[in-house]
Amino acid sequence: MRLKIMTLKFTTPNSLLLALILFCIQTIVLGQEVVVVDSTGVVKENTMITEVSAAVKGNDTTLPFKRYKAEGVSAVIGEYVILDSDIDKSYVELQSTGVSIEDITRCELMGKLMEDKLYLHQAKQDSIMISDAEVNPQVDQLIQYMVSEIGSEDKVVKYYRKETMAELRKDLFQAKKDIELANRMQAKVVENVEVTPEEVRTFFYSIPEDERPFFSAEVEVAQIVIEPSITEEAKENVIERLNQMREDVLENGSSFATKAVLYSKDPGSASRGGLYPGIKRNGPMAKEFKDQAFSLLEGEISEPFETDFGFHILTVDKIRGQEVDVRHVLLFPEVSQDVIDKAAAKMDSIKGLITSGELTFAEAARRFSDEKETRNNGGQLINPTTFDTRFDLTKMDPTLSAQVYNLKEGEVSKVYTDRDRTGRSKFKILTITKRDEEHPADYVKDYEKIQELALKQKKIKAIETWQKEKIDETYVNVNEDYQSCEFIGNWLKK
């Protein structure tokens, strides 16, 4: 499969963000060698880049590229230099995100890197600015994620072969800023591109009938959720357990971190002794959690408090300016089997009211559902990717897809048992409020989707025109090793 050199992605999925940024850092471990680039963008003398098979393919040495000298300059685009090592890094980056690299050539990666550098070069020419205040919070969030994954700031610094966290932060900052600048430049190129109804019609009917796209089956889904109630006695019991732990630490000198390892129900921090480093006031943690974190002195332990996640006690390990390192223990109230059975019986009763016709599904959701996010909308689910009510059956969450795949429109599912983030059982029923089966593109029925395709094609053409113009205006020098490549753009200026 050929790598698409031309892209129209203005935002990067969170799942790929870490890989994209870390491989932009100018010091990277490849195999057993380290490639070091100095402040001028030139690799230091005698540095060789190894084949990356040891890093990404175990013992398999069959890679679609050979060994190259790291100091080799592949191309210069304006003021930006592309090194042979940058192409090797791109292979590692792609495979780290699950992309097969078997059919991707160095020429294709070179074209993509030159495109990226052209965006950066032109962003400077057009005085596109990104303030430090826009980038710093994203860098902070990335570092916090890295620390949570690896264990501590010192370990992160050591892992990425840096001398200090400040040095690593500087590289991350520049990498992230370059990504944002390139995205913003690309967005500017197409910001005024629009399609008229006539252009949409022309686009659709220019496609031969036997080549028109098929659109996957789509559904709109509603659900009703019943959660077993937590009794006051269960809440009091869990608060008492947390108070006992707090007392044991304060009065007997027990280790808070050990308590977290042994008893905390937070899978994200229990193995680290409950540690969450670098908490910020404007960070993503629950408000109640941050209120406690910033109200305590170092070494103090909070009283038990509640968030949507459960009940906690929290201690402050270290205060560092506007950030604090904290540890916590998280516990959930226990729910008795009798309470669970009552919730299940309630759900059976609700389903009976719907199937008998006494209530519509939407009416039952508004009256009985415990899911606040969907209750007032008759239980209607919102697609988290598109933010509308339609779900492509081929792209749905596999669990949800399995539960609704064979439902007819208006049919009510069986009662399913799910578990929430605390591990507590909850019961739900689902229905399909609208279903469109897989079908060839229809101009009237699928106008909005066809319009999106027409707009995307027009944007691609706008970018092609822009690139041709800017390549002609920009200093471009491509190493002779790549003169035989067939690039999409006229990078060789033939």
Side-chain angles (χ1 to χ4, degrees):
M1 180 181 74
R2 289 179 60 83
L3 179 72
K4 297 293 185 184
I5 301 300
M6 195 74 64
T7 65
L8 286 171
K9 294 182 180 178
F10 305 126
T11 58
T12 303
N14 290 336
S15 60
L16 304 185
L17 179 59
L18 183 62
L20 287 171
I21 294 177
L22 294 184
F23 282 101
C24 290
I25 302 175
Q26 301 218 342
T27 298
I28 183 170
V29 179
L30 293 174
Q32 300 300 315
E33 300 284 332
V34 179
V35 178
V36 182
V37 182
D38 66 21
S39 59
T40 65
V42 178
V43 178
K44 292 180 180 179
E45 208 172 312
N46 298 323
T47 303
M48 293 286 290
I49 187 166
T50 68
E51 293 177 300
V52 300
S53 58
V56 298
K57 299 197 78 170
N59 295 322
D60 183 3
T61 58
T62 58
L63 285 174
F65 57 94
K66 300 176 181 179
R67 182 176 299 192
Y68 284 80
K69 288 185 178 180
E71 59 265 33
V73 174
S74 297
V76 178
I77 311 297
E79 62 189 89
Y80 292 93
V81 175
I82 299 172
L83 304 171
D84 280 336
S85 60
D86 293 328
I87 300 175
D88 293 318
K89 293 176 192 179
S90 295
Y91 275 111
V92 180
E93 174 188 321
L94 286 169
Q95 191 156 38
S96 73
T97 57
V99 176
S100 173
I101 62 174
E102 292 183 3
D103 298 323
I104 298 175
T105 67
R106 293 185 75 84
C107 289
E108 289 175 315
L109 287 182
M110 174 68 136
K112 181 64 173 67
L113 288 171
M114 290 192 293
E115 179 185 323
D116 292 342
K117 299 305 182 185
L118 183 65
Y119 284 129
L120 287 176
H121 172 76
Q122 196 59 42
K124 287 192 174 182
Q125 304 305 307
D126 291 0
S127 299
I128 294 177
M129 304 295 293
I130 295 179
S131 68
D132 292 357
E134 292 179 78
V135 181
N136 278 323
Q138 299 178 54
V139 175
D140 292 340
Q141 186 176 1
L142 179 60
I143 290 176
Q144 185 175 331
Y145 173 78
M146 292 162 62
V147 170
S148 70
E149 289 295 304
I150 297 177
S152 69
E153 287 192 0
D154 289 342
K155 289 181 179 179
V156 171
V157 170
K158 184 177 179 181
Y159 184 84
Y160 290 105
R161 303 293 181 94
K162 295 295 179 180
E163 294 295 327
T164 64
M165 177 55 77
E167 183 183 355
L168 176 60
R169 180 184 289 272
K170 181 180 178 181
D171 285 345
L172 287 172
F173 177 88
Q174 190 59 53
K176 180 60 181 170
K177 192 167 188 177
D178 284 350
I179 290 171
E180 291 298 317
L181 270 173
N183 286 344
R184 199 163 293 186
M185 184 67 246
Q186 190 183 64
K188 181 181 177 182
V189 173
V190 297
E191 65 182 351
N192 295 320
V193 176
E194 297 178 345
V195 287
T196 66
E198 179 59 24
E199 287 175 317
V200 176
R201 190 191 69 79
T202 301
F203 166 78
F204 178 75
Y205 287 107
S206 68
I207 304 172
E209 192 169 342
D210 60 349
E211 295 180 13
R212 288 173 187 167
F214 263 73
F215 292 124
S216 302
E218 288 187 333
V219 293
E220 296 184 11
V221 183
Q223 70 180 21
I224 296 172
V225 177
I226 298 298
E227 300 176 357
S229 59
I230 299 174
T231 64
E232 288 301 317
E233 181 181 2
K235 292 181 181 180
E236 291 171 4
N237 287 340
V238 78
I239 290 172
E240 178 59 26
R241 285 188 62 198
L242 289 170
N243 274 324
Q244 289 174 358
M245 293 183 200
R246 180 176 185 272
E247 182 178 345
D248 197 24
V249 174
L250 291 174
E251 298 187 8
N252 301 323
S254 295
S255 166
F256 191 101
T258 300
K259 298 287 186 188
V261 170
L262 292 175
Y263 305 113
S264 182
K265 301 300 182 183
D266 179 10
S269 70
S271 63
R272 303 193 308 271
L275 178 65
Y276 276 109
I279 300 298
K280 294 178 174 290
R281 288 187 184 274
N282 62 348
M285 310 297 285
K287 179 182 181 301
E288 301 89 346
F289 192 95
K290 291 186 290 186
D291 287 345
Q292 293 291 335
F294 286 96
S295 66
L296 301 175
L297 300 176
E298 287 186 13
E300 286 188 322
I301 303 176
S302 72
E303 299 283 347
F305 64 96
E306 184 179 8
T307 69
D308 287 341
F309 295 90
F311 288 82
H312 316 247
I313 52 173
L314 177 149
T315 186
V316 173
D317 264 16
K318 189 174 183 180
I319 299 174
R320 296 184 283 109
Q322 298 301 310
E323 299 181 3
V324 293
D325 297 341
V326 305
R327 296 181 187 272
H328 83 128
V329 175
L330 172 66
L331 295 181
F332 310 134
E334 294 184 5
V335 179
S336 68
Q337 188 59 48
D338 180 59
V339 171
I340 293 173
D341 292 343
K342 288 180 179 179
K346 181 179 180 180
M347 178 57 84
D348 287 336
S349 176
I350 293 169
K351 182 179 178 182
L353 292 172
I354 297 170
T355 55
S356 68
E358 294 183 52
L359 287 176
T360 66
F361 195 97
E363 289 169 341
R366 294 187 184 97
R367 287 180 57 179
F368 300 115
S369 183
D370 291 325
E371 188 172 64
K372 294 181 291 185
E373 296 84 357
T374 62
R375 181 173 57 211
N376 293 331
N377 197 29
Q380 198 77 48
L381 297 182
I382 301 298
N383 188 327
T385 303
T386 61
F387 300 105
D388 61 22
T389 57
R390 293 174 297 174
F391 290 83
D392 184 329
L393 271 175
T394 64
K395 299 176 182 178
M396 288 179 75
D397 174 84
T399 300
L400 180 59
S401 177
Q403 292 170 347
V404 303
Y405 193 86
N406 293 317
L407 285 181
K408 298 181 177 66
E409 192 170 307
E411 182 181 0
V412 179
S413 74
K414 69 178 184 179
V415 177
Y416 288 100
T417 302
D418 279 354
R419 293 189 180 276
D420 63 15
R421 59 195 173 202
T422 71
R424 188 175 61 184
S425 295
K426 59 181 180 181
F427 303 96
K428 72 176 182 180
I429 54 175
L430 305 104
T431 189
I432 299 292
T433 57
K434 186 177 181 182
R435 185 182 190 111
D436 291 321
E437 299 296 347
E438 182 183 42
H439 61 279
D442 180 275
Y443 182 70
V444 176
K445 184 177 181 180
D446 302 307
Y447 181 83
E448 289 183 2
K449 294 178 184 176
I450 295 166
Q451 183 184 44
E452 289 175 7
L453 293 175
L455 179 61
K456 182 176 291 187
Q457 184 191 62
K458 191 171 181 180
K459 286 182 176 180
I460 289 173
K461 289 181 178 178
I463 287 177
E464 289 174 345
T465 301
W466 178 88
Q467 282 192 359
K468 184 178 185 303
E469 175 187 332
K470 297 306 176 185
I471 289 172
D472 289 344
E473 295 176 358
T474 304
Y475 174 76
V476 177
N477 189 313
V478 180
N479 187 286
E480 62 182 9
D481 292 342
Y482 298 93
Q483 291 292 319
S484 61
C485 290
E486 296 182 3
F487 298 115
I488 291 179
N490 186 29
W491 295 104
L492 303 178
K493 297 192 175 182
K494 293 181 178 179

